[in-house]
Amino acid sequence: MKLIKSVRPGATCIRFPAVWLLILLFSTTSYCQSIDLLIKGGHVIDPKNRIDGAMDVAITAGKIVQVAAAISPSDAKKVVEAKGMYVSPGFIDMHVHVFNGTTPEAYIANAATSVAPDGFTFRTGVTTVVDAGSSGWRNFKLFKAQTIDRAQTRVLAFLNIVGTGMASRYEEQDLNDMNPQMVANMIKRLYPNIIVGIKSAHYWGDYSQVQRAVEAGNLAEVPVMVDFGEHRPPLSIEKLFREYLRPGDIFTHTYAHGPNDRETVVDDQGKVKPFVLEMQKKGLVFDVGHGGGAFAWRQAIPSIKQGFLANVISTDLHTDSMNGGMKGLDNVISKFLNMGVPLSEAILRVTWNPAQVIKRPELGNLSVGSEADITVFSVRTGDFGFIDARRLKMKGNKKLEAELTLRAGKVVWDLNGIAAASWESEIQGK
């Protein structure tokens, strides 16, 4: 026997067939599921679903149940007025370091340089982070137990090709600890829902580390992210792109300017190198990875003016970057807005684009039925300054600010109390 569903704005109702109604005390009652939270009057930007306009968003039981114009608030338990604000999928920061710990002299793995995610995500509109290779197969289980399993933020990870991860620059040079089979086994056999790719970074030698990472990527069927600095003299990134990386692999620190250690995407005459645009068209993914030393105006501004825009905007969050020029994903997005990138294009690069890169299509969108990870934000206008990793300033007049962040339908950040009741309601007993 088939259930008949009827939907009206504000509620999702299921009406039972007549024979069932007779059994249920001859009642004509229908069961209605009310809206837990209605975000009303905001400008929704949802690139996956091609929405860029005024819409309301309804949430029930931690899931999105409706995105439509003028949803009635009559059946909503709580209404958040978002007029004059923007509503988007929860931001995805695809390059962070959150393997926070206390190992003495450790660099990133189980170290104080990494940060506990919840303190630095929700306040910037971020609901999902991807740790960029802090751990390897030898210490990933510790990272999972210590950070991933305890965080409210959704934490995914790139697994380092080095078994000990980013313990120190010294350990990262050990080719004997770069085991593609063990890396692939940990991904495919143990944690396919958490580990989304492989990281190659900080290697002082030739292309050998990248080769082993790509070998592991082929075995595990996941992308590889490459931080290709610290070679003296710099190795050719054109050779890296053409001979080693595959479509879907990720080149991070796109706009870094450290010409003594890494080849740059913009040449000395301020021109984007033609092969960079060519390889992006062929499917190579370019990630910002701002960090404490990997974002320079002299690379980013001419790139954007010439039509070369990274596929993903990310922070490379750790203690050195968050207290320097980077600050947070909201600040990094603001930089791109002030370099002339349209808001919709910037939001694409922190929502649906990274979701596709890490092969998690359930993330980065506001589709009905998806988990309600949502960011409500404002774009303020004024006189602002933005600093790159070289401590140089660019002035701007736009600044993105996260107003409200929801993780699985739960309010986890509310800057100005737009989802909170007035204090007088407590006195009035309401």
Side-chain angles (χ1 to χ4, degrees):
M1 198 169 292
K2 205 169 183 180
L3 289 178
I4 302 169
K5 295 184 180 180
S6 62
V7 182
R8 70 176 189 274
T12 301
C13 303
I14 301 175
R15 186 172 296 156
F16 294 91
V19 66
W20 286 12
L21 298 179
L22 290 173
I23 294 172
L24 296 172
L25 302 176
F26 305 96
S27 172
T28 58
T29 303
S30 62
Y31 171 74
C32 294
Q33 184 179 22
S34 64
I35 295 170
D36 290 338
L37 178 65
L38 178 63
I39 301 174
K40 192 158 185 61
H43 182 119
V44 173
I45 301 177
D46 179 5
K48 178 190 176 181
N49 293 303
R50 300 178 184 274
I51 299 173
D52 190 349
M55 290 278 179
D56 300 339
V57 180
I59 301 157
T60 296
K63 304 284 186 180
I64 295 170
V65 293
Q66 194 175 6
V67 179
I71 299 174
S72 171
S74 60
D75 288 309
K77 296 175 184 176
K78 178 180 286 189
V79 177
V80 172
E81 294 293 345
K83 187 176 181 181
M85 303 176 194
Y86 295 91
V87 181
S88 78
F91 296 161
I92 300 170
D93 191 346
M94 201 183 74
H95 188 148
V96 303
H97 293 286
V98 292
F99 188 2
N100 179 252
T102 58
T103 300
E105 298 184 4
Y107 167 49
I108 289 286
N110 197 33
T113 309
S114 288
V115 300
D118 293 348
F120 306 95
T121 51
F122 302 139
R123 63 181 53 242
T124 66
V126 172
T127 56
T128 298
V129 296
V130 187
D131 184 273
S134 301
S135 66
W137 68 268
R138 296 184 187 278
N139 52 12
F140 177 78
K141 289 182 179 180
L142 176 62
F143 175 39
K144 179 178 181 296
Q146 198 162 279
T147 299
I148 296 173
D149 294 346
R150 297 184 179 190
Q152 291 185 74
T153 309
R154 180 187 291 102
V155 181
L156 304 173
F158 288 94
L159 192 66
N160 205 301
I161 188 60
V162 181
T164 55
M166 295 182 183
S168 80
R169 289 294 201 272
Y170 180 74
E171 281 86 350
E172 288 177 286
Q173 310 312 311
D174 187 0
L175 279 173
N176 294 320
D177 199 28
M178 301 177 196
N179 189 321
Q181 190 64 61
M182 292 300 288
V183 169
N185 285 344
M186 176 154 276
I187 297 171
K188 292 202 79 171
R189 294 178 179 270
L190 298 181
Y191 304 109
N193 296 326
I194 303 174
I195 304 174
V196 299
I198 297 159
K199 179 73 177 293
S200 166
H202 309 147
Y203 189 57
W204 302 335
D206 56 12
Y207 297 86
S208 298
Q209 189 193 64
V210 172
Q211 287 178 290
R212 297 195 184 193
V214 171
E215 182 183 345
N218 286 328
L219 291 170
E221 301 177 282
V222 294
V224 170
M225 175 186 280
V226 177
D227 172 356
F228 204 61
E230 305 192 21
H231 303 97
R232 293 197 176 192
L235 296 179
S236 167
I237 59 172
E238 182 172 13
K239 183 175 181 178
L240 173 72
F241 297 168
R242 293 191 187 279
E243 298 183 21
Y244 296 102
L245 299 186
R246 309 157 297 169
D249 285 340
I250 306 146
F251 179 74
T252 192
H253 303 316
T254 293
Y255 301 122
H257 186 81
N260 293 327
D261 298 298
R262 66 174 76 220
E263 183 183 354
T264 58
V265 296
V266 174
D267 65 23
D268 292 338
Q269 287 71 49
K271 301 294 184 183
V272 176
K273 296 171 183 177
F275 69 83
V276 173
L277 291 162
E278 176 193 343
M279 297 309 297
Q280 186 180 45
K281 289 178 182 177
K282 289 183 176 180
L284 188 65
V285 176
F286 290 86
D287 169 51
V288 171
H290 188 300
F295 178 88
W297 297 123
R298 63 183 294 174
Q299 291 289 318
I301 292 173
S303 289
I304 291 168
K305 285 182 178 178
Q306 293 167 55
F308 173 56
L309 178 58
N311 303 83
V312 175
I313 296 174
S314 67
T315 63
D316 185 16
L317 173 70
H318 50 76
T319 56
D320 293 337
S321 65
M322 72 186 190
N323 293 318
M326 187 279 291
K327 297 179 174 61
L329 189 60
D330 51 353
N331 188 269
V332 179
I333 297 170
S334 298
K335 291 175 182 179
F336 282 84
L337 299 182
N338 286 287
M339 287 188 287
V341 176
L343 179 61
S344 59
E345 289 293 323
I347 298 305
L348 169 65
R349 285 159 172 79
V350 295
T351 57
W352 185 230
N353 270 8
Q356 293 178 94
V357 171
I358 63 174
K359 301 180 182 179
R360 292 296 187 272
E362 70 276 13
L363 304 179
N365 64 82
L366 299 177
S367 300
V368 170
S370 63
E371 200 159 47
D373 289 357
I374 298 174
T375 300
V376 180
F377 63 91
S378 300
V379 178
R380 296 171 51 199
T381 57
D383 184 12
F384 306 115
F386 301 93
I387 304 168
D388 69 2
R390 299 165 67 82
R391 301 282 181 171
L392 300 173
K393 183 173 71 174
M394 181 190 77
K395 297 192 70 174
N397 59 9
K398 302 182 185 72
K399 189 175 185 180
L400 185 145
E401 189 171 73
E403 292 280 355
L404 182 75
T405 307
L406 273 63
R407 170 74 179 94
K410 178 185 176 183
V411 175
V412 289
W413 171 254
D414 189 354
L415 180 63
N416 290 299
I418 62 174
S422 167
W423 71 272
E424 291 95 344
S425 64
E426 185 179 31
I427 298 173
Q428 296 164 357
K430 295 181 180 178

